[in-house]
Each structure stands twice: as structure tokens, then as C-alpha cells.
């Protein structure tokens, strides 16, 4: 009897989605590779050596969604966390959370020609055709804001020659800094963003630290979100392995330091620490 050795199975591949979205992903410049998600993926690649890892820069989230729907083994390390009972409508598998962050706010130029209040409603701002909102095409902003923008795309009475709402100025996902430059010049009137992105853009453009103001949105005021890792729906083992790592390592200094550096750089660091300790660390799936 001749024994044939079994063929070694190639390691399962994980394609880590990357985007030009500092300071989560920093793809160029002196801080290249130092973004929050860059360092998180470094950790995951090191802690999961039996997998074949590859990083791919996607032009936008819509392209990533299409590739995942076609079976490409993609993972996104900076996704919105949802508890298991709310996951029926997503084609992705989600990990336990790894970060707490405060939801999007309104960003305006310090010397805006429009007198914005300290808290505004996105629903009401969208009804004013003279106020232009700059957005990155395909960027998710959370369920509530996404629904408002989708409804505005569909139902707005204010449309240009291209059929699009006149008060929505879309740019590519790569034009993150360009949108802030447009805001500074007065070509658009407001953005929706996180505090870390506003701080990073201000520094990159070489502007004074108070060149932009962050105001509250009534739709998201006082709300926080949790970030998790999502993987294409056939990658059950990958998610299970990631969850084991997160549960083991989230209390360690690596995660605490990483989170404070980029993930929760906002006006509420003490509140973020409390949520991390009493919420994030207690969620296991």
C-alpha cells in the first residue's frame, strides 16, 4: 500500500479593506501607517499568523460592499457595531466591539457666512437649498443620518441639471482633505464628521486650530457608537478567531493607548473611558 501525503491546504485569505480616511487610515505623508485602523490591522495580522493577509485600498465603501457581495474575503476593521439581535438585515458578520466613539457632528468654518446655532438639525438644514453640504460618496454615517440623506437624494425638490439635489456636493472618498479646503474657502457651508477627522484636516491644511467649529446635530446629540470588525458572510471562523483575540486583549495597554490616540480624541475623554470600561469590555459577541 502506498501512502500519499495529504495536500496542504493554502491558508485562508483575509483582505483588509483600506480607505484614504485619516486618521483612521493614513495612506501617505509622514504619519503613513500610523492611523488607528492601520495599527489595529497590524495587531490582527500579527495575532493571526495562520491566515494570509493582504491590504487593499478601496476607492469607496460602495466598491467594498460590491466585492464582498461577490464572495471576496474582505474584512473591514472600522465598522459600526450592532448587537446580535439587530443584525438580520446585514450581509456581514460582526465581531465584538473594540472602540467607543462619539457620533458625527456638524463642522462649519469659523467665519461662516451663515449663523449656525450651537445645535442644528440635519433634516432642517437639508431643506435649505442655499446651504451646501459636502459629503464623501459612499461613506456611511450611521443609520439615522444615512436614512435622512437617502430620503433627500430621492425626494428633494431642489435639483440641478444633473438631477441631483443642489445642496449636496459629493466628492470621492479620497477627497477628505479637499472637502475641508472647500469649507475653509466658503465653497460649501458644512460637513458632517468626527472630531478626530476635523483635527487631522486642520493640521494637514496648516490652519489655525480653531479654523473650524464642531457643533451638535440634534439627530446624534449625546450619542456614542461602538466600532467592530466586519467580515464577508462566509468568514465565520475568521470572526470567531478575532472575537477570541478581542476578549483576551481589549483590557491590555495596547488597546487603551490606541483608542486614546485616535479613536476617542474628542472633548469627552473621561466619558469615553467610562463607556469603554463598562460597556465595550463586557460585550463578547
Amino acid at each position: 500500500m502506498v501512502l500519499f501525503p495529504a495536500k496542504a491546504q493554502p491558508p485562508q485569505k483575509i483582505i483588509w479593506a483600506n480607505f484614504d480616511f485619516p486618521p483612521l487610515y493614513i495612506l501617505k505623508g509622514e504619519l503613513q501607517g500610523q492611523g488607528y485602523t492601520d495599527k489595529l490591522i497590524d495587531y490582527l495580522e500579527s495575532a493571526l499568523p495562520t491566515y494570509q493577509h493582504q491590504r487593499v485600498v478601496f476607492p469607496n465603501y460602495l466598491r467594498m460592499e460590491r466585492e464582498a457581495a461577490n464572495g471576496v474575503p474582505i474584512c473591514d476593521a472600522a465598522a459600526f457595531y450592532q448587537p446580535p439581535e439587530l443584525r438580520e438585515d446585514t450581509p456581514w458578520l460582526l465581531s465584538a466591539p473594540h472602540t467607543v466613539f462619539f457620533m458625527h457632528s456638524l463642522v462649519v468654518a469659523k467665519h461662516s457666512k451663515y449663523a449656525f446655532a450651537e445645535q442644528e438639525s440635519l433634516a432642517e438644514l437639508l431643506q435649505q437649498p442655499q446651504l451646501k453640504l459636502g459629503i464623501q460618496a459612499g461613506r456611511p454615517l450611521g443609520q439615522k443620518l444615512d436614512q435622512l440623506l437617502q430620503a433627500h437624494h430621492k425626494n428633494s425638490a431642489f435639483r440641478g441639471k444633473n438631477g441631483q439635489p443642489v445642496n449636496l456636493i459629493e466628492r470621492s472618498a479620497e477627497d477628505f482633505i479637499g472637502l475641508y479646503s472647500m469649507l475653509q474657502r466658503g465653497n460649501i457651508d458644512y460637513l458632517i464628521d468626527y472630531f478626530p477627522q476635523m483635527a487631522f484636516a486642520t493640521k494637514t491644511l496648516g490652519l489655525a486650530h480653531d479654523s473650524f467649529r464642531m457643533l451638535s446635530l440634534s439627530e446624534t446629540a449625546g450619542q456614542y457608537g461602538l466600532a467592530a470588525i466586519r467580515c464577508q458572510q462566509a468568514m465565520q471562523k475568521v470572526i470567531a478567531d478575532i472575537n477570541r483575540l478581542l476578549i483576551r486583549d481589549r483590557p491590555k495597554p495596547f488597546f487603551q493607548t490606541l483608542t486614546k490616540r485616535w479613536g476617542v480624541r474628542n472633548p469627552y475623554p473621561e466619558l469615553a473611558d467610562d463607556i469603554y470600561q463598562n460597556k465595550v469590555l463586557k460585550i463578547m459577541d
Side-chain angles (χ1 to χ4, degrees), residues 98 250 255-256 272-281:
H98 56 72
R250 284 181 306 188
F255 273 90
Q256 308 278 351
D273 284 344
D274 180 69
I275 295 168
Y276 190 82
Q277 295 296 328
N278 294 300
K279 183 79 170 180
V280 172
L281 296 183

Side-chain angles (χ1 to χ4, degrees), residues 18-34:
N18 276 221
F19 302 92
D20 190 3
F21 186 36
L24 291 181
Y25 303 88
I26 304 178
L27 304 184
K28 51 185 176 289
E30 62 180 19
L31 292 176
Q32 182 177 355
Q34 299 302 308

Side-chain angles (χ1 to χ4, degrees), residues 8 18 22 57 70 114 133 145 151 175 187 194 201 216 224 233 244 257 272 280:
N18 276 221
V57 177
N70 289 329
Y114 180 82
L133 165 62
L145 299 184
D175 205 15
N187 300 125
Y194 297 119
S216 176
Y224 66 88
Q233 58 188 343
R244 282 192 287 272
T257 303
V280 172

Side-chain angles (χ1 to χ4, degrees), residues 146-198:
D146 284 345
Q147 287 175 346
L148 279 174
L149 289 171
Q150 289 162 8
H152 187 65
H153 265 290
K154 183 178 180 181
N155 302 320
S156 174
F158 317 112
R159 296 188 181 275
K161 293 180 180 179
N162 61 0
Q164 298 299 310
V166 296
N167 56 352
L168 284 185
I169 309 301
E170 286 196 4
R171 291 293 181 265
S172 69
E174 297 91 341
D175 205 15
F176 162 72
I177 299 298
L179 281 172
Y180 275 90
S181 181
M182 292 175 67
L183 183 62
Q184 173 68 7
R185 297 194 307 268
N187 300 125
I188 56 178
D189 297 290
Y190 65 107
L191 302 173
I192 298 170
D193 215 340
Y194 297 119
F195 185 89
Q197 277 68 33
M198 183 185 76

Side-chain angles (χ1 to χ4, degrees), residues 34-280:
Q34 299 302 308
Y36 172 83
T37 316
D38 296 325
K39 304 305 289 184
L40 178 59
I41 294 174
D42 286 347
Y43 153 81
L44 291 165
E45 289 179 341
S46 175
L48 295 169
T50 60
Y51 292 92
Q52 178 189 350
H53 300 272
Q54 181 183 358
R55 303 191 197 196
V56 174
V57 177
F58 286 87
N60 53 56
Y61 284 87
L62 294 175
R63 175 65 178 274
M64 178 191 69
E65 298 269 359
R66 287 198 298 268
E67 294 290 336
N70 289 329
V72 178
I74 295 171
C75 288
D76 171 14
F80 289 108
Y81 173 79
Q82 289 182 309
E85 63 270 17
L86 298 179
R87 297 179 191 174
E88 292 85 355
D89 295 332
T90 176
W92 295 85
L93 300 174
L94 275 171
S95 75
H98 56 72
T99 313
V100 58
F101 60 92
F102 289 87
M103 297 301 289
H104 303 83
S105 297
L106 189 71
V107 182
V108 302
K110 179 181 180 181
H111 300 296
S112 172
K113 60 181 179 289
Y114 180 82
F116 287 95
E118 287 301 311
Q119 183 173 107
E120 295 278 1
S121 163
L122 177 60
E124 294 177 5
L125 290 174
L126 290 173
Q127 297 309 308
Q128 303 188 53
Q130 78 279 11
L131 291 181
K132 294 180 172 57
L133 165 62
I135 57 175
Q136 290 171 273
R139 175 183 169 184
L141 298 174
Q143 185 177 25
K144 185 176 291 187
L145 299 184
D146 284 345
Q147 287 175 346
L148 279 174
L149 289 171
Q150 289 162 8
H152 187 65
H153 265 290
K154 183 178 180 181
N155 302 320
S156 174
F158 317 112
R159 296 188 181 275
K161 293 180 180 179
N162 61 0
Q164 298 299 310
V166 296
N167 56 352
L168 284 185
I169 309 301
E170 286 196 4
R171 291 293 181 265
S172 69
E174 297 91 341
D175 205 15
F176 162 72
I177 299 298
L179 281 172
Y180 275 90
S181 181
M182 292 175 67
L183 183 62
Q184 173 68 7
R185 297 194 307 268
N187 300 125
I188 56 178
D189 297 290
Y190 65 107
L191 302 173
I192 298 170
D193 215 340
Y194 297 119
F195 185 89
Q197 277 68 33
M198 183 185 76
F200 187 91
T202 303
K203 181 178 179 180
T204 300
L205 291 170
L207 300 173
H209 70 90
D210 61 349
S211 296
F212 302 110
R213 298 166 58 211
M214 180 156 276
L215 309 174
S216 176
L217 278 174
S218 59
E219 290 86 356
T220 59
Q223 298 176 15
Y224 66 88
L226 304 180
I229 298 158
R230 60 175 176 170
C231 293
Q232 194 269 343
Q233 58 188 343
M235 302 173 71
Q236 292 92 343
K237 185 178 184 304
V238 175
I239 285 292
D241 287 342
I242 288 171
N243 273 341
R244 282 192 287 272
L245 290 173
L246 291 176
I247 292 166
R248 183 191 73 189
D249 291 349
R250 284 181 306 188
K252 295 181 179 179
F254 168 80
F255 273 90
Q256 308 278 351
T257 303
L258 193 61
T259 298
K260 288 180 179 179
R261 183 177 182 193
W262 291 120
V264 295
R265 183 183 289 181
N266 56 56
Y268 316 107
E270 292 182 2
L271 177 58
D273 284 344
D274 180 69
I275 295 168
Y276 190 82
Q277 295 296 328
N278 294 300
K279 183 79 170 180
V280 172

